[in-house]
Amino acid sequence: MHELPQQLVNGLLLGSMYGLIAIGYTMVYGIVQLINFAHGEIFMVGGFGALTVWLWLPGSTTMWVAIPLMLVGAVIVSTTIAIGAERFAYRPLRGAPRLAPL
């Protein structure tokens, strides 16, 4: 009986990650009219940014300090990658003919 609350939390967390990626797909396609399947990769690179921050922290760091720092690291890394993708991949395709992205 103790597993049910944990599985509910696991389902909510996983569903929120799927929802976040789906909202990203919807926003990019609705605004730019280009399909970007790199959201999962950008999301994962953000996770690696958080892992890198965790590995750089000293072992005596508490979780109350580590988690906000990890979130900031994930946001910085994923935002940098997303801006780079927009500058080098999307910007040249905005004025291109409709079949060029294919």
Side-chain angles (χ1 to χ4, degrees):
M1 194 56 148
H2 296 290
E3 293 180 20
L4 180 62
Q6 183 62 47
Q7 291 301 325
L8 288 174
V9 170
N10 290 344
L12 285 172
L13 287 174
L14 188 61
S16 65
M17 285 189 231
Y18 289 159
L20 182 65
I21 292 172
I23 288 171
Y25 283 140
T26 304
M27 287 177 59
V28 167
Y29 184 72
I31 294 170
V32 185
Q33 297 294 320
L34 295 171
I35 296 176
N36 177 14
F37 291 113
H39 277 79
E41 288 83 3
I42 293 172
F43 194 72
M44 194 64 198
V45 168
F48 280 118
L51 176 66
T52 303
V53 170
W54 171 256
L55 293 175
W56 282 349
L57 291 174
S60 63
T61 306
T62 63
M63 283 303 223
W64 295 107
V65 173
I67 290 178
L69 291 175
M70 290 169 62
L71 286 173
V72 168
V75 167
I76 289 172
V77 169
S78 59
T79 303
T80 303
I81 296 295
I83 289 172
E86 194 276 330
R87 295 267 166 103
F88 298 114
Y90 285 140
R91 206 169 269 181
L93 294 176
R94 283 200 185 144
R98 186 77 178 141
L99 290 177
L102 298 177

